[in-house]
Amino acid sequence: MMDWERGNKIIVYCSRKTGRTCSGGSPVIPHEHPREVYVKSAKANDRWVIVKALTTESDKLCYYLIDKSFNIKNLDWEIVNCDSIIQSHIISTFDSISFEKILKDKNIGLKFDK
């Protein structure tokens, strides 16, 4: 997760590290305009990331489940469509009840802070 404009946060696949922090990367949250979806809350474990985000154009919450089991390390992004690999490991919904059902069905114990 990276700090972005006006105090907002975005999630990227880090392609450039400065020390222990990410200083650049490709947006992970699938959206036509990545800067228009901002992270409100995110939790992660070794395998999964859950994200509650806000779309600025509709001011609606959306939810993402990211499966981190993909491996694109050392792949050439110009030859291999790494973005497609990442996107194939993401489930999204605009419905919190559907999102909770997805988490339950996959036995994922992550929860957002209240």
Side-chain angles (χ1 to χ4, degrees):
M1 190 156 48
M2 285 179 55
D3 290 325
W4 201 247
E5 300 167 344
R6 297 178 303 278
N8 292 306
K9 296 183 181 308
I10 61 172
I11 294 181
V12 299
Y13 180 82
C14 188
S15 61
R16 189 173 54 241
K17 277 194 170 188
T18 306
R20 294 179 54 192
T21 61
C22 183
S23 59
S26 299
V28 171
I29 299 297
H31 196 268
E32 200 170 307
H33 304 287
R35 294 182 183 164
E36 300 302 320
V37 176
Y38 296 111
V39 175
K40 299 303 276 177
S41 181
K43 295 292 178 186
N45 61 25
D46 289 341
R47 169 80 190 273
W48 303 98
V49 178
I50 61 170
V51 179
K52 182 189 311 184
L54 182 68
T55 60
T56 57
E57 62 271 324
S58 64
D59 202 33
K60 289 186 179 179
L61 288 174
C62 47
Y63 303 86
Y64 298 91
L65 173 62
I66 304 167
D67 178 352
K68 300 189 304 184
S69 67
F70 60 88
N71 183 2
I72 56 175
K73 199 173 197 171
N74 301 321
L75 293 180
D76 185 336
W77 284 63
E78 294 196 18
I79 296 172
V80 180
N81 189 348
C82 293
D83 186 55
S84 179
I85 294 169
I86 294 170
Q87 297 308 313
S88 71
H89 285 78
I90 298 174
I91 298 171
S92 64
T93 182
F94 284 96
D95 180 6
S96 63
I97 295 169
S98 296
F99 188 70
E100 290 296 325
K101 182 174 179 352
I102 291 165
L103 296 179
K104 183 179 178 186
D105 290 348
K106 293 187 176 292
N107 199 28
I108 300 170
L110 294 170
K111 300 283 183 200
F112 298 113
D113 293 335
K114 296 239 177 197

